[in-house]
Amino acid sequence: MKAIILVFVAALTLTVSACAPQTLSAVQARAIYEKSITLADTSRAEAVQAAKDDALTELASALDTSLKNKNRKEANVIATAIKSLTENSVLEAGLLPAIDTIRKGYKGRVVSANKQHTEQISPARTKYLAALETAMDAAFVAKDLEEVNRIDAAMEPLRAEADRLEADRVAADRLEADRVAAVPPFKNTIGMSFKRLSGGPGGAFSIGVHEVTQSEYESVMGVNPSYFKGANNPVEMVSWDDAVAFCVKLSSLPAEVAAGRVYRLPTEAEWEYACRAGTTTEYSFGDDTQDLGKYAWYDDNSGDTTHAVGEKLPNGWGLYDMHGNVWEWCSDADGSLRVVRGGGWSYGAAGCRTAFRISSVPTNRFNFMGFRLALSSPSGQ
């Protein structure tokens, strides 16, 4: 017992909290947590310093150009920006377009460093909190109020830190969402538009701005199987197998081969990432179903038919019909079935929620099911 007491006394000298709970597991968890903080702090400091150094290099180049052009006013503004960044690690917005571009890049890297810091610390903090909660339960059972108070005091700064780090993560996600929104779409050789998403769940990928239309499907496959005819309406009455066959045939077109593009169906995780566009709400635009009609064709407004793609408002990343119009096949298997996402013209608001999912036999063909393409390529498009 004396040896255990000595362990707890020694533990009181640790820096995370002045109050240590009387459980060996909690002491061990805190030691791991402290080590993770040290490593994460070092990584973040290095990343922030690298971002600062690169920004200063860019500013120095801009200053040199201004001096060569004898633009004294601009040179003075850049010199002031260099001084501010050097002394205070701050670059203010709106000084000059060139400086603002450098500032956004610098800020983005700092926010990303903070997010990485959060991700490095979180697992160890979670385990430490779990150990403290176990100790708290034991103290309640033992009716040791003094121990309960000590443990609660140890948990409080951890909870506060968790809130702060979560705010850093949200800020990083918002910045990434804004950055993605600013990237313009590109077109393939048959005129289909795609949006490049650099931070996907499995890495960067591109996804179709629209659901595959009947004219696009027919131009590749030579047939239009759709029940509701319309060149710009989404193709439907296509099975999962049909959608995969379209991807293969489009990828084999000489111009697409030359461009290095390989088409496929999106994974379910990619589909939801693209649909959310950086949000965490029920729909990509928020939680209010009253606004759904602005973004989606569903049973309340569809008139029991599909509609031309792109007629409703896009999500925050410029992707249309992610909610409603037709359900979209994903690549994922669900046992012998295949995952389908997004809701459709014949379904209610609940079925159009971002997180809602159904599965279907891969050979099924319905007039409410179509698909959207994803794109992998060595060229980055």
Side-chain angles (χ1 to χ4, degrees), residues 36 142 171 208 215 223:
S36 74
S215 63
V223 295

Side-chain angles (χ1 to χ4, degrees), residues 70-111:
K70 298 181 179 180
N71 191 334
R72 184 174 299 177
K73 183 178 180 180
E74 184 176 272
N76 287 336
V77 173
I78 297 173
T80 300
I82 291 174
K83 181 178 180 182
S84 176
L85 181 58
T86 302
E87 296 178 354
N88 306 311
S89 298
V90 172
L91 264 179
E92 295 182 3
L95 297 175
L96 288 172
I99 296 179
D100 207 38
T101 298
I102 296 170
R103 180 191 67 82
K104 288 178 180 177
Y106 169 65
K107 181 182 177 182
R109 291 175 64 178
V110 170
V111 172

Side-chain angles (χ1 to χ4, degrees), residues 43-157:
S43 296
R44 179 170 61 179
E46 291 173 351
V48 170
Q49 186 59 52
K52 183 176 180 179
D53 290 344
D54 289 346
L56 286 171
T57 298
E58 292 180 65
L59 287 170
S61 177
L63 178 60
D64 185 55
T65 299
S66 295
L67 291 172
K68 287 180 179 178
N69 293 336
K70 298 181 179 180
N71 191 334
R72 184 174 299 177
K73 183 178 180 180
E74 184 176 272
N76 287 336
V77 173
I78 297 173
T80 300
I82 291 174
K83 181 178 180 182
S84 176
L85 181 58
T86 302
E87 296 178 354
N88 306 311
S89 298
V90 172
L91 264 179
E92 295 182 3
L95 297 175
L96 288 172
I99 296 179
D100 207 38
T101 298
I102 296 170
R103 180 191 67 82
K104 288 178 180 177
Y106 169 65
K107 181 182 177 182
R109 291 175 64 178
V110 170
V111 172
S112 294
N114 287 335
K115 183 180 180 180
Q116 182 67 27
H117 184 266
T118 299
E119 293 171 348
Q120 286 181 277
I121 291 174
S122 291
R125 186 183 65 249
T126 298
K127 290 180 181 179
Y128 183 29
L129 278 169
L132 290 172
E133 288 168 358
T134 299
M136 178 78 83
D137 291 341
F140 272 118
V141 171
K143 298 181 180 180
D144 187 342
L145 183 59
E146 184 178 350
E147 179 70 353
V148 168
N149 289 335
R150 274 200 298 269
I151 295 171
D152 188 61
M155 293 175 76
E156 186 58 33

Side-chain angles (χ1 to χ4, degrees), residues 60-343:
S61 177
L63 178 60
D64 185 55
T65 299
S66 295
L67 291 172
K68 287 180 179 178
N69 293 336
K70 298 181 179 180
N71 191 334
R72 184 174 299 177
K73 183 178 180 180
E74 184 176 272
N76 287 336
V77 173
I78 297 173
T80 300
I82 291 174
K83 181 178 180 182
S84 176
L85 181 58
T86 302
E87 296 178 354
N88 306 311
S89 298
V90 172
L91 264 179
E92 295 182 3
L95 297 175
L96 288 172
I99 296 179
D100 207 38
T101 298
I102 296 170
R103 180 191 67 82
K104 288 178 180 177
Y106 169 65
K107 181 182 177 182
R109 291 175 64 178
V110 170
V111 172
S112 294
N114 287 335
K115 183 180 180 180
Q116 182 67 27
H117 184 266
T118 299
E119 293 171 348
Q120 286 181 277
I121 291 174
S122 291
R125 186 183 65 249
T126 298
K127 290 180 181 179
Y128 183 29
L129 278 169
L132 290 172
E133 288 168 358
T134 299
M136 178 78 83
D137 291 341
F140 272 118
V141 171
K143 298 181 180 180
D144 187 342
L145 183 59
E146 184 178 350
E147 179 70 353
V148 168
N149 289 335
R150 274 200 298 269
I151 295 171
D152 188 61
M155 293 175 76
E156 186 58 33
L158 292 174
R159 295 191 190 102
E161 181 187 47
D163 290 341
R164 179 181 62 78
L165 293 177
E166 176 62 14
D168 287 344
R169 186 195 65 77
V170 170
D173 287 346
R174 186 180 299 113
L175 188 71
E176 171 65 10
D178 291 344
R179 193 192 65 75
V180 171
V183 176
F186 64 91
K187 290 188 176 184
N188 67 4
T189 57
I190 67 168
M192 302 176 76
S193 294
F194 291 85
K195 183 78 171 186
R196 175 74 170 168
L197 307 181
S198 59
F205 71 105
S206 298
I207 193 164
V209 171
H210 303 289
E211 295 162 331
V212 176
T213 66
Q214 294 174 31
S215 63
E216 291 164 348
Y217 188 88
E218 188 170 9
S219 71
V220 174
M221 305 302 287
V223 295
N224 178 11
S226 302
Y227 178 81
F228 301 109
K229 300 300 183 183
N232 290 322
N233 286 34
V235 67
E236 16 88 5
M237 295 299 292
V238 285
S239 67
W240 185 88
D241 295 328
D242 294 332
V244 170
F246 177 87
C247 294
V248 171
K249 193 164 184 179
L250 177 59
S251 299
S252 68
L253 295 180
E256 296 302 314
V257 172
R261 301 190 183 105
V262 180
Y263 298 91
R264 56 180 174 81
L265 295 177
T267 67
E268 184 177 15
E270 287 173 339
W271 187 96
E272 184 163 329
Y273 175 79
C275 181
R276 288 195 177 281
T279 67
T280 57
T281 47
E282 291 287 327
Y283 304 94
S284 64
F285 54 83
D287 294 317
D288 192 350
T289 57
Q290 297 298 315
D291 291 331
L292 181 59
K294 300 175 183 177
Y295 296 84
W297 294 111
Y298 67 116
D299 68 352
D300 275 7
N301 66 357
S302 69
D304 295 330
T305 184
T306 62
H307 291 263
V309 300
E311 289 187 344
K312 294 295 186 179
L313 294 175
N315 72 3
W317 287 348
L319 305 177
Y320 293 83
D321 299 302
M322 294 301 292
H323 305 294
N325 217 358
V326 291
W327 289 86
E328 299 177 15
W329 289 108
C330 292
S331 63
D332 302 58
D334 186 3
S336 62
L337 307 178
R338 296 294 183 270
V339 175
V340 193
R341 299 296 295 266

